[in-house]
Amino acid sequence: MSTKTRRAVLLATVAAGLAYAAAPAAAEPVHLGVSIPAATHSFMGGINYWANQAKKDLEAKHKDLKITIRTAANATEQANQLQDLSTVSRINALVVFPFESAALTRPVANVKAKGTYVTVVDRGLTDTSAQDAYVAGDNTAFGKVPAEYIAKTLGGKGNVVALRGIPTTLDNERMDAFSAVLKQHPDIKLLDAKYANWNRDDAYKVTQDFLTRFKDIDAFWAADDDMAFGAIRAIEQAGRKDIKVIFGGAGAKDMVKLIIDGKDPRIQANVSYSPKFIYDAVKLTAEARLKGEKLPATTIIPSVLIDKSNAKDFYFPDSPF
């Protein structure tokens, strides 16, 4: 081989090497784990529906994407499932809707420590270093909007009780925002606020207790429509006529239909918080990781007042929620 030929081969080899080095590395296939609570009430039914819809749509669209969904009946089961997703299924990305904030923080952190990209949805962790991204509705507005509506409807004076969810960061955000508004109205008294676990039956029992202890209640706030329906059942059975406002939350289709129909003067408004955000979180995470990219640290989906003027925009009769 002549010197000229050898130089040409060498230059071609170097050029090829430089071209290879300059080319972006192909993103690896994504095995995305989705860890969510079981469908123990209608909102979680919506979460399960939209998570499975995301799996169906996204796996059909992306050949390098596999989605494994696990549902848990309690925090302990979810922690065990997270360990299995990490060590057995060997996921490299995770979207998790924690059953409880404190109990799931360490299990999620353990998954992240293995190099898994973590998106936390809705119920935040007590240590945000255990996550890469957070996607949720606007829980501050979720508490603020009902309080402002109740204060205005009552003319700044009256007695209020509240049904909380379960001990989570989002429940704290909602309750703190609700209380902050009421403190601006000294003639409105928050008689009590108790956990009813986002559950109709539990809300029914807590409402029975409220109705027994308090003879004059002007407004009920339930931080979830399932709890609101449980409260309504107890109020109807007790025959109480003093309650002027019942305000739930999340825009359940049956509650929105009541607003559209306008037949119950106590139920004229709600606040939006669709379970479809789990679909959005799965889609955003999967498509970002397929590109080797990251999400913004926080993505907040607005929560707005639903009333007669816009209720039809929030009514989805074919949805499970």
Side-chain angles (χ1 to χ4, degrees):
M1 182 182 293
S2 68
T3 300
K4 184 176 181 180
T5 302
R6 285 198 300 270
R7 184 180 294 126
V9 171
L10 176 61
L11 289 173
T13 302
V14 171
L18 289 173
Y20 178 81
E28 65 178 351
V30 173
H31 185 180
L32 175 66
V34 177
S35 174
I36 55 178
T40 53
H41 59 284
S42 62
F43 183 82
M44 281 304 164
I47 290 291
N48 279 251
Y49 171 83
W50 286 112
N52 281 283
Q53 191 64 42
K55 173 181 170 66
K56 177 183 175 183
D57 292 349
L58 294 169
E59 285 185 340
K61 182 178 179 181
H62 302 288
K63 64 180 179 62
D64 289 334
L65 174 66
K66 177 182 178 182
I67 297 176
T68 300
I69 299 175
R70 294 288 181 267
T71 63
N74 54 57
T76 300
E77 183 178 16
Q78 188 173 32
N80 291 335
Q81 290 176 352
L82 285 170
Q83 184 177 4
D84 287 345
L85 283 169
S86 181
T87 60
V88 179
S89 300
R90 305 183 76 83
I91 60 172
N92 54 16
L94 172 69
V95 172
V96 55
F97 189 127
F99 203 98
E100 296 175 8
S101 296
L104 271 301
T105 297
R106 174 49 53 191
V108 173
N110 290 340
V111 174
K112 186 175 185 294
K114 296 183 186 300
T116 302
Y117 184 89
V118 174
T119 298
V120 173
V121 181
D122 196 54
R123 300 176 188 172
L125 303 175
T126 55
D127 179 3
T128 56
S129 68
Q131 68 195 34
D132 293 286
Y134 178 64
V135 177
D138 188 344
N139 286 291
T140 297
F142 193 102
K144 181 181 179 182
V145 167
E148 290 176 340
Y149 179 89
I150 288 170
K152 181 179 179 180
T153 303
L154 296 183
K157 183 177 181 179
N159 295 324
V160 180
V161 293
L163 298 169
R164 303 183 63 171
I166 62 177
T168 55
T169 57
L170 75 86
D171 182 82
N172 292 338
E173 290 170 13
R174 293 174 180 182
M175 192 68 221
D176 289 348
F178 185 81
S179 300
V181 172
L182 293 192
K183 286 177 181 177
Q184 299 171 19
H185 302 273
D187 291 330
I188 293 181
K189 184 177 182 181
L190 180 60
L191 300 174
D192 202 356
K194 286 189 176 254
Y195 292 110
N197 306 313
W198 290 311
N199 180 279
R200 291 193 187 205
D201 291 338
D202 291 348
Y204 171 79
K205 294 173 185 176
V206 173
T207 299
Q208 284 183 315
D209 173 64
F210 285 162
L211 296 174
T212 300
R213 290 193 291 126
F214 305 119
K215 302 305 180 185
D216 184 13
I217 300 173
D218 295 290
F220 261 80
W221 175 53
D224 173 88
D225 283 332
D226 273 320
M227 293 192 297
F229 281 118
I232 290 168
R233 181 160 63 98
I235 292 166
E236 295 291 340
Q237 288 184 2
R240 290 285 288 264
K241 305 299 182 184
D242 50 319
I243 296 149
K244 304 174 182 68
V245 180
I246 300 173
F247 198 116
K253 64 181 180 182
D254 292 339
M255 191 65 76
V256 174
K257 186 66 164 57
L258 288 174
I259 295 171
I260 293 172
D261 293 343
K263 295 179 180 179
D264 190 332
R266 302 167 302 177
I267 303 168
Q268 299 296 318
N270 203 272
V271 62
S272 65
Y273 202 90
S274 172
K276 187 179 180 293
F277 60 61
I278 191 70
Y279 184 107
D280 299 329
V282 172
K283 183 176 188 295
L284 289 169
T285 303
E287 295 187 342
R289 299 315 293 161
L290 285 167
K291 298 174 184 176
E293 298 175 353
K294 296 183 178 181
L295 298 180
T298 301
T299 300
I300 299 298
I301 300 166
S303 294
V304 301
L305 180 71
I306 302 172
D307 60 16
K308 188 82 169 180
S309 68
N310 64 352
K312 289 183 179 178
D313 296 334
F314 295 91
Y315 183 54
F316 305 106
D318 295 331
S319 168
F321 178 75

